[in-house]
Amino acid sequence: MACDRCGELLDVVYNWDRLHVPDSLKAFEEKWTRRANPHCFSGVWRFHELLPFAPLEQCVTVGEGQTLLVPSEGVAKYTGIKPGRLYLQYEGMNPSGSFKDNGMSAAFTHARCVGATRAACASTGNTSASLALYCSVTKLMKAVIFIGSGKISYGKLSQALDFGALTVQINGDFDDAMARVKEVSRELGIYLVNSVNPFRLEGQKTIMFRVLEALRWEVPDWIVVPGGNLGNSSAFGKAFHELHQLGLIDRVPRLAVINAAGANTLYELVERQGLHWNDGSPDLERASRYYDEMDATGRRADTIASAIEINRPVNLSKCIRALEWCDGVVREVTDEQIMDAKARVGASGLGCEPASAASVAGVKSLVAEGIIAADQRVVCVLTGHQLKDPTATVAYHTTDQEQFNKVLGSRGVRRAAFANRAVAVPNNLDEIIKAIRLYG
Ligand SMILES: *Cc1c(COP(=O)(O)O)cnc(C)c1O
C-alpha cells in the first residue's frame, strides 16, 4: 500500500474527465427513491460516482452509513456556539458502531476485486470490529486481527470475538501491532485493511457527503474531528478538495483536527514545529526526528481515548495536505476535557465513546481562543458509539474513588464535573421513595 520508491502511501486519483459525475449534488437525492436497491440504500455507495474505483456491482455493502446529523442545543451551549449552529454527525449508528464501516465497505470492495481470501488489520478496536463484521456478514473473506495487549476496550474486543475473527494479541501497543501486521501481510499475502489502505479513505469521504446532504448541500464553516491515524481528516480534506475541483461546491469548510494531549504527535509537529504541506514537499525528516526522540526517551501515547492513542499516525502527510486544502488547525485536549465533553454529549441526547468527544472539547477550546466564532456553523464528528467503552463512562460517573483513580485519575483526570452518580439506597420502599423525592 506504499510506493516502492519513496515509501509514501498510495493515493486514489481519478481521471474525472472520463467518468460520469452528476453536475449537481442534488442529483444524488434521486437515489433515495430507489432505496430498495442496497447500493442506493448504502450511505457510502449512493455516492458511487464520487468514489468510482470499482464497478458498482462489485461494491460490498452491509447497510453502512445510515447516520444522522443532528443539531444539539446542549452541546452548542457547552462549547459557546449559538443555538442551532452546532451539529453532531453521529457515526455510532453504523452497523459495527463506528465510522470505520464507511471505509471498510470500500477496502473490502477492493479486496474482493483483487481476489483476496483473507484480510488483516491492527487496531485499537474499531477497525477490527468493523473488519470482523464485514467478514462475518458477507463470508467473502476471513478476518485476522492484531491487537496490542491491555489497551483495547471491552466493547470492541467483544465484537471481534463474537463475529468469529482470528484475534492475535501482541505483547505491545498499537504501533507495535501495526508494524507486525504489515510484515505478516507481506509474508502471507493477506490483504491489509488498515488506513494505510487508500480505499478506506475513499469510503470515509462519504461521511462528508452525508453532512452536506443533511445541510441541504450547504457547506458548513467548520468540520471538527478527532485525530488518531488521521484517516478521517485526510479523507475529509480529499472529499472537499475534489468536490470543489468538480465545481460541486463553491467553497471548502475549515478543518479542525483534535488530538488527545497524551497522543499529540500531529499537534506537536504542525502547531509547535510548523510542519506544513509545502506544495507537496513537507519536511518529513522533522517527523522522523520526532519519532526518534520519542523512542529514545521511551515516551508512549497514553490517553483514555483509546481510539486515538497513537504515536505515529500513518496518514500524517495526507492529513497535512488536508490541513492545507481546508485552512485547517490542530489542537490538543486533555483527558479531563474529553471526559467532560463526553458527559455533555451524553446528557444532550447522543452518547459517544471518549475519542469522539475530543471533537466537542476541541470546539470549546477553539471558541475560547476566538478561532471559531459563536455564530459559525460547526459540525463535530462523533466517530464511535457510547457502548464501545462502558468502562470509561462508568468510571467517570462512579462514586468508587478507587475505580475512578484506576481508569481516569491515572491519566490526570482530577474530577468529573458532570458526573451523574448512582444513588445508593437501602432495599426499603420508604427509603427509595425518599431518595427519588430528594434527587428527582
Ligand atoms: C479510528 C477512530 C478514530 C481515529 O480516526 P483516524 O481516522 O484514525 O484519525 C477516532 N474515533 C474513533 C471512535 C475511532 O474508531
Side-chain angles (χ1 to χ4, degrees):
M1 296 292 178
C3 168
D4 291 339
R5 269 181 300 162
C6 71
E8 270 293 296
L9 297 185
L10 300 180
D11 198 23
V12 178
V13 181
Y14 301 103
N15 186 348
W16 295 112
D17 294 342
R18 300 183 48 192
L19 293 159
H20 168 72
V21 183
D23 49 18
S24 141
L25 286 170
K26 232 176 151 1
F28 286 99
E29 292 172 19
E30 174 272 336
K31 302 274 178 87
W32 271 112
T33 63
R34 293 191 283 130
R35 62 186 173 276
N37 172 335
H39 287 129
C40 292
F41 180 73
S42 165
V44 170
W45 300 117
R46 74 169 178 270
F47 299 103
H48 180 250
E49 290 88 341
L50 298 172
L51 56 153
F53 63 85
L56 188 60
E57 58 283 4
Q58 289 284 322
C59 294
V60 178
T61 176
V62 303
E64 59 287 319
Q66 307 309 318
T67 57
L68 286 175
L69 182 79
V70 286
S72 173
E73 298 306 300
V75 176
K77 193 162 173 216
Y78 177 63
T79 55
I81 296 286
K82 287 215 169 112
R85 305 298 279 172
L86 186 133
Y87 299 80
L88 303 173
Q89 171 66 13
Y90 188 47
E91 290 292 318
M93 285 177 76
N94 275 290
S96 80
S98 85
F99 79 83
K100 297 295 197 302
D101 295 343
N102 294 283
M104 198 56 67
S105 65
F108 223 75
T109 295
H110 182 254
R112 175 201 221 176
C113 291
V114 299
T117 55
R118 277 193 291 193
C121 68
S123 178
T124 59
N126 281 333
T127 303
S128 59
S130 181
L131 173 62
L133 178 140
Y134 274 80
C135 287
S136 133
V137 177
T138 66
K139 302 285 179 251
L140 288 168
M141 263 162 263
K142 288 218 169 82
V144 186
I145 283 157
F146 284 65
I147 55 176
S149 49
K151 290 292 192 179
I152 190 167
S153 76
Y154 259 33
K156 303 173 190 181
L157 179 59
S158 66
Q159 289 180 287
L161 297 174
D162 213 29
F163 289 132
L166 170 59
T167 305
V168 182
Q169 195 156 11
I170 292 181
N171 188 2
D173 63 11
F174 171 81
D175 297 79
D176 299 321
M178 187 71 226
R180 289 297 178 201
V181 77
K182 281 189 191 165
E183 290 168 5
V184 172
S185 301
R186 229 185 348 257
E187 193 83 10
L188 297 179
I190 302 178
Y191 189 91
L192 191 59
V193 298
N194 270 101
S195 55
V196 294
N197 182 314
F199 299 99
R200 283 257 314 267
L201 306 199
E202 291 305 292
Q204 286 165 214
K205 290 192 306 193
T206 66
I207 301 170
M208 292 299 109
F209 303 155
R210 296 197 299 274
V211 164
L212 293 179
E213 183 180 47
L215 294 174
R216 310 310 303 162
W217 311 109
E218 278 177 26
V219 179
D221 296 304
W222 285 92
I223 300 291
V224 188
V225 63
N229 253 328
L230 308 176
N232 254 348
S233 42
S234 301
F236 298 173
K238 188 170 189 281
F240 288 116
H241 184 70
E242 288 173 350
L243 290 181
H244 194 245
Q245 280 192 320
L246 289 166
L248 292 170
I249 53 176
D250 54 11
R251 64 182 181 91
V252 295
R254 293 190 70 185
L255 180 66
V257 185
I258 314 300
N259 270 168
N264 62 353
T265 298
L266 183 72
Y267 177 73
E268 283 286 337
L269 289 174
V270 171
E271 299 289 345
R272 291 242 165 87
Q273 302 195 21
L275 180 63
H276 290 297
W277 178 238
N278 192 23
D279 271 335
S281 311
D283 179 12
L284 293 175
E285 277 297 309
R286 201 183 283 275
S288 303
R289 281 198 300 275
Y290 184 75
Y291 296 149
D292 288 346
E293 177 201 303
M294 201 180 231
D295 289 344
T297 55
R299 190 156 45 85
R300 306 304 278 171
D302 184 28
T303 166
I304 188 66
S306 57
I308 53 175
E309 188 180 56
I310 285 166
N311 299 296
R312 301 168 185 243
V314 298
N315 288 295
L316 178 66
S317 25
K318 286 183 186 175
C319 175
I320 56 179
R321 181 177 69 175
L323 291 170
E324 172 78 21
W325 281 336
C326 298
D327 189 14
V329 298
V330 184
R331 288 295 180 271
E332 59 173 356
V333 290
T334 64
D335 280 12
E336 185 165 298
Q337 291 173 303
I338 287 174
M339 290 308 291
D340 285 345
K342 185 176 116 56
R344 292 332 287 160
V345 171
S348 306
L350 296 170
C352 65
E353 64 171 279
S356 314
S359 60
V360 170
V363 172
K364 188 171 165 62
S365 307
L366 286 163
V367 171
E369 270 185 67
I371 310 258
I372 298 184
D375 60 354
Q376 287 189 304
R377 223 177 189 191
V378 180
V379 175
C380 291
V381 182
L382 295 186
T383 46
H385 198 282
Q386 182 182 42
L387 295 177
K388 289 284 192 172
D389 191 354
T391 310
T393 308
V394 173
Y396 184 86
H397 294 291
T398 190
T399 49
D400 178 345
Q401 197 60 38
E402 204 176 317
Q403 195 189 358
F404 180 90
N405 285 340
K406 190 168 142 235
V407 180
L408 297 169
S410 62
R411 296 205 154 98
V413 181
R414 285 153 301 152
R415 64 193 193 102
F418 305 105
N420 176 28
R421 310 218 188 280
V423 180
V425 279
N427 185 9
N428 170 294
L429 186 59
D430 290 342
E431 292 289 338
I432 294 170
I433 288 173
K434 211 161 81 187
I436 291 173
R437 291 225 169 97
L438 184 62
Y439 293 102

